[in-house]
Amino acid sequence: MKKTSFLAALSCAALLSAAALAEDLVVHAGQLLDRPGKAPRGASTVVVRDGRIHAVEDGFRTPAELGLGSAQVVDLRERFVLPGLIDSHVHLASDTGGVGGLVEDVTLSDAAVAYRTLANARKTLRAGFTTVRNLGDGTGATLALRDAVAEGLVEGPRIVDAGRSISTTSGHMDERLGMREDLHSALSHDNVCDGTESCRRAVRLQIGRGVDVIKIATTGGVNSRIGAGLGAQAFEDEVRALVDTAHLYGKKLAVHAHGADGIRLALAAGADSIEHGTLLGDEEIRLFLKSGAYYVPTLSTVNGYIERLAANPEAYSPEVRAKIEWRISVTGKSLQLAVPRGVKIAFGTDAGVSKHGRNADEFELMVKNGMTPATAIAAATVNAADLLGLSAEIGSLEPGKRADLVAVQGDPLVDVTVLKKMAWVMKDGRQVGL
């Protein structure tokens, strides 16, 4: 196709997309959870205009009753409707873990990773997750996808992206771990830092790439390809330099942390969220409550580990396998402590370690470990929107907010597992084919 023809096709697609949004939509919902954390409404009508919520009315109102000249009616009178879900911790570019993932790191082209990223984004959207926070991608595929989705060029969830995650040298984000030394110079490592100036520079590099949020690691990781443990792997001045630089540029900062010492370092420095937070105690919870940071438990990681090991007992190296077995044995215990103490919880799965498109599995694990269906849903809507800084746009169904809606068969406030199968999805006023 000639360049002029290609541009004409894009222009035509944009016009068709605009035309699709020109007509008002009237959604009839059997039950409507318009504001998670509050009681659901019964029969309701949601009017969607130009990709946003225009009005929410009680009962099944016809377009004529609403004073609309013409409108498409979406019949969800037998369905439970709620806001589009938000996953605060995904890795859209990742799929394969363990030794297989290591092989792919040095064999897949960036172009191949980009197509995988798009495929995983589509799975995620069809699962009802209309917004995600992507916390780590070395190729830049997710940053590019974020922009393509925002421009309407491809279908996918709204993406808040962290670019490349940052750690100290030999920390969790150092791609050279477990690789032959003669390969180290060929592997990117501008995301690792040592000392305050180096750490400030690492954040500024990601800022320059146009990221929305900064992700760092203060402890080792389960999937780190060395047996260095899961305790702190950064000094206090390095963590403060990372946090302060992110905040200087108006970016929130998410922290991968398993061990209690690394959690304390991050919270004391002003982190906005702790990801995983596997070893919480009284002091860590006190710091959560003092700082107002969010806890993102990512319980679903254990599903990914269990499934990969069932398919191949040699899927992970011995050092990693030992950490996986520990993680499986303790997962959920920190959430059980955090919930009754009032720590703010935001929904996140670490999809990429677990399976994309099965993000809603996390709800069941959250409920098993101390949350109610209502608070788990709030974690994936109003709480996650607050963590992402998007409360004015998403998280509830109120006039002026983006028209992100999902529908399920059954009542998720009674049985949260019904969220595993979407009956209908809308993002920005566009219905998504399932």
Side-chain angles (χ1 to χ4, degrees):
M1 182 184 288
K2 293 181 180 179
K3 183 177 181 181
T4 53
S5 299
F6 176 68
L7 292 175
L10 280 181
S11 177
C12 181
L15 289 171
L16 288 172
S17 178
L21 287 177
E23 184 181 34
D24 291 331
L25 283 170
V26 173
V27 179
H28 288 162
Q31 287 183 278
L32 181 70
L33 184 65
D34 57 335
R35 301 186 185 193
K38 297 186 177 181
R41 303 163 73 135
S44 302
T45 298
V46 180
V47 181
V48 176
R49 177 174 295 169
D50 296 328
R52 293 184 179 269
I53 304 294
H54 178 67
V56 180
E57 303 277 352
D58 291 329
F60 299 138
R61 306 288 301 282
T62 67
E65 290 173 329
L66 293 165
L68 304 177
S70 64
Q72 178 185 351
V73 177
V74 180
D75 183 2
L76 298 172
R77 289 177 292 179
E78 301 298 321
R79 301 289 183 265
F80 191 108
V81 177
L82 62 156
L85 303 172
I86 305 166
D87 192 330
S88 301
H89 191 134
V90 301
H91 299 277
L92 293 175
S94 300
D95 256 329
T96 308
V99 176
L102 176 60
V103 172
E104 288 188 352
D105 285 347
V106 294
T107 56
L108 284 184
S109 68
D110 285 355
V113 172
Y115 278 109
R116 167 186 283 178
T117 304
L118 175 58
N120 288 334
R122 286 173 168 164
K123 290 178 187 177
T124 303
L125 180 59
R126 285 168 170 77
F129 288 81
T130 52
T131 302
V132 299
R133 185 177 60 158
N134 196 79
L135 291 182
D137 166 16
T139 68
T142 313
L143 270 173
L145 179 61
R146 174 198 67 183
D147 296 341
V149 169
E151 291 171 25
L153 299 179
V154 296
E155 183 183 75
R158 186 176 300 101
I159 298 171
V160 174
D161 192 62
R164 299 191 71 194
S165 302
I166 299 168
S167 75
T168 53
T169 297
S170 295
H172 183 48
M173 309 305 176
D174 192 336
E175 292 184 6
R176 298 168 295 181
L177 294 178
M179 302 293 283
R180 282 171 25 196
E181 287 190 37
D182 59 325
L183 297 177
H184 286 188
S185 61
L187 296 170
S188 298
H189 53 276
D190 60 4
N191 63 315
V192 299
C193 63
D194 303 284
T196 57
E197 292 304 317
S198 176
C199 288
R200 291 187 182 112
R201 185 176 301 109
V203 172
R204 287 181 166 122
L205 284 172
Q206 297 311 309
I207 297 292
R209 297 178 71 197
V211 303
D212 307 297
V213 61
I214 297 295
K215 160 82 174 300
I216 71 169
T218 59
T219 75
V222 173
N223 293 301
S224 297
R225 294 186 290 265
I226 57 172
L230 293 160
Q233 294 182 355
F235 290 108
E236 180 182 0
D237 61 344
E238 292 171 324
V239 177
R240 287 195 177 277
L242 291 162
V243 174
D244 290 349
T245 307
H247 289 169
L248 179 69
Y249 286 89
K251 305 298 181 183
K252 291 192 175 187
L253 183 132
V255 182
H256 159 107
H258 286 286
D261 49 2
I263 295 169
R264 290 194 300 272
L265 278 173
L267 291 173
D272 297 287
S273 69
I274 300 295
E275 316 296 311
H276 318 307
T278 311
L279 291 175
L280 295 185
D282 287 343
E283 178 60 15
E284 292 71 51
I285 288 175
R286 185 189 69 79
L287 287 170
F288 265 113
L289 297 175
K290 179 181 178 181
S291 68
Y294 273 94
Y295 174 36
V296 184
T298 66
L299 308 178
S300 293
T301 55
V302 298
N303 291 341
Y305 296 139
I306 291 169
E307 289 167 12
R308 288 194 184 95
L309 287 169
N312 176 15
E314 306 301 322
Y316 298 93
S317 65
E319 310 87 41
V320 174
R321 175 70 181 266
K323 290 184 285 185
I324 285 172
E325 290 175 351
W326 169 81
R327 173 73 159 125
I328 292 171
S329 72
V330 301
T331 290
K333 292 182 179 178
S334 286
L335 185 60
Q336 293 170 24
L337 292 174
V339 168
R341 297 281 294 275
V343 173
K344 295 193 297 186
I345 311 294
F347 183 103
T349 62
D350 210 359
V353 178
S354 55
K355 297 288 187 181
H356 295 286
R358 284 176 44 193
N359 311 61
D361 289 354
E362 183 83 11
F363 286 113
E364 186 174 12
L365 294 172
M366 295 173 91
V367 171
K368 284 183 177 179
N369 287 283
M371 300 187 76
T372 66
T375 57
I377 291 169
T381 51
V382 288
N383 289 10
D386 182 47
L387 171 59
L388 273 55
L390 294 175
S391 292
E393 295 284 303
I394 59 174
S396 61
L397 302 177
E398 301 175 68
K401 291 194 175 184
R402 293 188 179 272
D404 293 357
L405 298 85
V406 298
V408 293
Q409 179 70 50
D411 187 344
L413 295 172
V414 175
D415 178 9
V416 77
T417 65
V418 302
L419 294 168
K420 293 183 181 185
K421 184 173 177 57
M422 287 291 140
W424 178 82
V425 175
M426 171 182 279
K427 174 179 170 276
D428 280 332
R430 294 182 176 88
Q431 298 180 73
V432 176
L434 301 181

